[in-house]
Amino acid sequence: MRMWLFPLVVAAAVALPAAAQVWPGYPPASQADIHRYRLEQQRLRSAEQAAFARQQRLNTRLTQLEVEALRQPAPSVPLVEPFPSLGGTATPSVAGSTARREAVSSRVRQIDAWLDRDPR
């Protein structure tokens, strides 16, 4: 009984490597067909990823536009200050700003004089 088992095991061992090298598709394909198939799969995957990237860029741009639309508008600031009145009398705001400017410049002159003093 053991004598018929040995040739069966040898035949199976010889046939297995040959069966492992056959393309599982039907009908059996050549290496070139397999290569073309895999390249086409990669090409389709690349096109799908590029379309997804374009969609994400569009969604990002749309979200940016929505956020910008929801922002509060900046307050209107005049580009130039209005001219003071020509009547010769300074308005209180102009007189106040003149006093502040003179106070700052007197302090700056004191600092400049201290920095220009003779070294000891």
Side-chain angles (χ1 to χ4, degrees), residues 5 12 22 46 53 57-58 62 67 69 71 79-80 86 90 102:
L5 186 61
V22 176
S46 174
R57 279 194 300 270
L58 288 174
L62 180 63
V67 168
R71 285 186 184 157
L79 297 177
V80 294
L86 299 176
E102 288 174 358

Side-chain angles (χ1 to χ4, degrees), residues 59-80:
N59 286 342
T60 301
R61 183 65 182 143
L62 180 63
T63 303
Q64 285 176 342
L65 290 174
E66 288 174 354
V67 168
E68 289 174 3
L70 292 175
R71 285 186 184 157
Q72 293 287 332
S76 175
V77 178
L79 297 177
V80 294

Side-chain angles (χ1 to χ4, degrees), residues 28-48:
S30 67
Q31 286 294 99
D33 290 338
I34 295 168
H35 184 67
R36 277 196 279 302
Y37 173 74
R38 289 184 179 158
L39 279 177
E40 185 63 25
Q41 282 181 329
Q42 288 179 347
R43 200 174 296 119
L44 291 173
R45 198 173 314 126
S46 174
E48 181 181 330

